[in-house]
Amino acid sequence: MKAFDGSKIRNIAILGHSGSGKTTVAEAALFAAGITTRMGNTGDGNTVSDYDADEIRRQVSISASLLPLEWQGIKINFIDTPGYFDFVGEVQQALHIADLALIVVNCKSGVEVGAEKAWDYVKELNLPAMILVNGCDDENADFDATVESLKEKFGPSIAPVHLPIKEGGKLTGFVDITKNEGVKYTGNKPAACPVPADMADKVSGIREVLEEAVSGADEELMEKFFEEGSLTNDEVIKGLQSGVKEVAVTPVLCACATQGIGIHELMKALCDYAPPAAGEGVTAKNAKDVKSGDEVTLKAANDAPFSALVFKTISDSFGRVSIFRIYSGTLTSSTLLYNSTADTVEKIGGLLIMRGKEQIKVDELRAGDIGAMVKLSNTSTGDTLCTKDKAVILAPPSFGEPLYSQSISPKNKGDEDKLGQALARIQDEDKTVRFKVDTETKQSVISGIGDNHLDVVVNKMKNRFKLEVELGDVIVLYR
């Protein structure tokens, strides 16, 4: 894949309740972009993002997975995140470096607790968001009721830009409110069509509400809307761009990912409305004098001094892969790297982009993009990589505290050292895992978000490090 400028990059975290269709949406996007020749599905265990043995066995996402693709000259870096709360650390990593959150809601189930938690994370970070109502083809799906529920729970920023078209009880396409035109699908191919006559009044009413919502994000549009009472299609799109960027408008789209309906328009909407990776820059600390609190603004320009944040690590028996987002400058395999967090120099073992488990070699990555490096010996999740003469420290992701603890011991005597090494590698990958030896009880104690979380950790030790362990109750000392 060629190198893209930040203005042509969109970094999108996909999140929502488990089972809402996040991975299927990502699979449909890869298929529509021509990356895959057929859509995988979680039931068959052949999706690009859920490639880990545990993910295939459980049929749920456990780890955040990168899925880059190109759409109409724009590079979209999708980050497919887990829906189960036990793996919330993966969501927090993704949101820390994303420019927009795409929250997937199931049209039949409505706004579930996972979507509410996703919204809370997004609001806490003041991150732009869009909502995709998936599964609109289900006979019990009610798009209007879902939108009303979204407004009730998430507030007045909710703005539907799509309305599903159903014929004979089947989803055949949707109306694009921004253009006042319909889109119908034959197979998974979209084609423009007139707005159905029986939907004209409904579309007109929603269009008026949308125009009012987007005009609130732009003073010029607001003046025109109040003077003339309407906006052109181009003005609505401009207002949506401003509204999303200012976190004032949350567009709501509809889709049926299993059939590919709405996926082309989703990606176009992300290209049009999501903020580009070359934004206004981020603030970092001056690494030469951290105690002073001096801050610098990093400009997302290709010719600026290089800086990047390692937000995720994949660690196995063969080594580690450090996944990072570039915030300024350009990275090539010959760039001299300085880890300002650990105060050490690193040598690039290989410059890559990740697509699921696939590692694609590249020669260059630019400001705003997401990439990976192998064999960085002293770099962990949360570390800043930069140039030594312009050393900075970027804010690392914050992670939730563990809530569930059990004792842990190797099944085979003599594997205590092996246990410590395996847990160190897993903690490098998963910052929500904690490990300690209780000085009073002499128990080795592992802590995580929940029982499913610790079960996954145990399976990782078995599959990756050939180490079998036993979990048990933690001894509680009474004073």
Side-chain angles (χ1 to χ4, degrees):
M1 185 176 281
K2 66 180 182 181
F4 285 79
D5 288 333
S7 61
K8 299 291 186 180
I9 298 171
R10 308 289 185 267
N11 295 318
I12 312 295
I14 309 176
L15 57 161
H17 196 81
S18 183
S20 60
K22 301 181 298 298
T23 298
T24 307
V25 169
E27 285 293 314
L30 290 171
F31 179 67
I35 300 296
T36 57
T37 55
R38 62 184 294 271
M39 273 184 60
N41 67 73
T42 54
D44 293 338
N46 59 358
T47 63
V48 176
S49 59
D50 291 351
Y51 58 86
D52 183 83
D54 244 355
E55 292 178 313
I56 294 170
R57 178 173 65 87
R58 295 168 183 266
Q59 297 187 7
V60 297
S61 298
I62 290 172
S63 179
S65 186
L66 283 161
L67 303 166
L69 59 85
E70 184 179 347
W71 188 260
Q72 296 179 352
I74 301 290
K75 183 181 183 183
I76 303 177
N77 287 317
F78 282 116
I79 313 163
D80 182 25
T81 70
Y84 272 105
F85 299 137
D86 287 52
F87 313 112
V88 65
E90 300 290 327
V91 178
Q92 291 166 325
Q93 287 175 340
L95 288 177
H96 188 76
I97 57 88
D99 297 307
L100 180 136
L102 177 65
I103 302 175
V104 180
V105 174
N106 185 280
C107 195
K108 180 181 176 181
S109 306
V111 185
E112 298 172 279
V113 64
E116 294 187 53
K117 291 292 291 182
W119 182 261
D120 290 341
Y121 299 145
V122 168
K123 291 296 105 179
E124 185 179 339
L125 295 169
N126 197 36
L127 190 68
M130 291 171 59
I131 295 174
L132 181 69
V133 179
N134 187 37
C136 291
D137 61 316
D138 192 283
E139 61 181 0
N140 296 314
D142 190 333
F143 182 79
D144 294 341
T146 301
V147 169
E148 288 306 311
S149 181
L150 287 168
K151 289 179 179 178
E152 179 184 332
K153 294 181 182 295
F154 300 160
S157 74
I158 298 299
V161 297
H162 286 174
L163 279 179
I165 298 174
K166 287 194 174 183
E167 296 175 327
K170 292 185 178 181
L171 180 72
T172 58
F174 58 88
V175 174
D176 185 340
I177 306 296
T178 66
K179 297 179 181 176
N180 268 326
E181 70 177 22
V183 177
K184 280 196 178 181
Y185 275 75
T186 302
N188 60 1
K189 299 295 183 183
C193 70
V195 174
D198 60 347
M199 294 181 67
D201 290 343
K202 184 178 181 180
V203 169
S204 177
I206 293 177
R207 168 75 180 213
E208 187 175 340
V209 173
L210 178 62
E211 288 181 6
E212 184 175 358
V214 301
S215 65
D218 188 295
E219 288 188 11
E220 289 184 16
L221 294 181
M222 182 178 288
E223 285 184 18
K224 183 184 177 185
F225 181 73
F226 281 116
E227 287 176 6
E228 301 181 16
S230 65
L231 300 175
T232 65
N233 293 347
D234 288 343
E235 288 168 340
V236 169
I237 292 171
K238 178 187 175 185
L240 276 169
Q241 291 169 339
S242 300
V244 170
K245 180 182 177 182
E246 299 300 325
V247 199
V249 178
T250 307
V252 179
L253 294 76
C254 68
C256 169
T258 55
Q259 297 182 33
I261 296 177
I263 299 302
H264 298 75
E265 289 69 31
L266 165 66
M267 292 195 286
K268 186 178 187 310
L270 292 172
C271 293
D272 289 344
Y273 309 141
E280 298 173 355
V282 297
T283 301
K285 292 182 179 179
N286 184 342
K288 293 181 179 179
D289 190 8
V290 176
K291 292 181 180 179
S292 70
D294 286 347
E295 293 183 338
V296 294
T297 299
L298 303 179
K299 186 180 178 183
N302 299 333
D303 57 354
F306 173 76
S307 66
L309 177 74
V310 176
F311 67 92
K312 180 177 175 62
T313 303
I314 301 173
S315 187
D316 58 27
S317 57
F318 299 104
R320 62 168 62 149
V321 179
S322 302
I323 304 175
F324 57 89
R325 169 171 171 164
I326 302 175
Y327 283 95
S328 63
T330 300
L331 178 65
T332 67
S333 56
S334 62
T335 302
L336 296 176
L337 292 179
Y338 173 65
N339 182 329
S340 57
T341 308
D343 188 21
T344 185
V345 176
E346 288 279 23
K347 184 178 180 181
I348 299 176
L351 185 57
L352 315 162
I353 57 173
M354 303 288 293
R355 183 179 290 133
K357 66 180 178 181
E358 183 184 7
Q359 298 181 357
I360 305 166
K361 291 183 178 180
V362 293
D363 297 322
E364 178 183 307
L365 291 169
R366 298 171 184 169
D369 214 343
I370 295 173
M373 285 180 275
V374 295
K375 299 179 181 178
L376 297 185
S377 54
N378 298 301
T379 297
S380 300
T381 300
D383 286 0
T384 298
L385 298 172
C386 55
T387 56
K388 196 165 187 177
D389 60 328
K390 297 286 184 180
V392 295
I393 295 179
L394 289 152
S398 58
F399 298 98
E401 289 298 315
L403 305 169
Y404 181 77
S405 299
Q406 287 197 289
S407 66
I408 185 170
S409 58
K411 284 186 178 181
N412 300 319
K413 289 185 178 180
D415 277 348
E416 285 79 8
D417 289 344
K418 196 174 180 181
L419 173 64
Q421 292 169 4
L423 280 169
R425 299 290 287 274
I426 286 171
Q427 284 181 291
D428 191 28
E429 178 176 315
D430 187 348
K431 295 298 184 181
T432 58
V433 174
R434 304 284 193 278
F435 174 69
K436 70 175 183 178
V437 177
D438 192 299
T439 56
E440 294 184 274
T441 66
K442 309 303 180 186
Q443 266 192 324
S444 296
V445 179
I446 186 172
S447 302
I449 304 298
D451 56 347
N452 281 327
H453 187 200
L454 293 191
D455 186 46
V456 167
V457 171
V458 169
N459 283 325
K460 280 183 181 179
M461 284 191 278
K462 181 180 179 180
N463 296 329
R464 295 187 186 180
F465 304 102
K466 311 304 178 188
L467 174 67
E468 295 197 38
V469 299
E470 294 177 325
L471 299 180
D473 293 333
V474 176
I475 297 172
V476 178
L477 294 175
Y478 294 93
R479 303 299 185 189

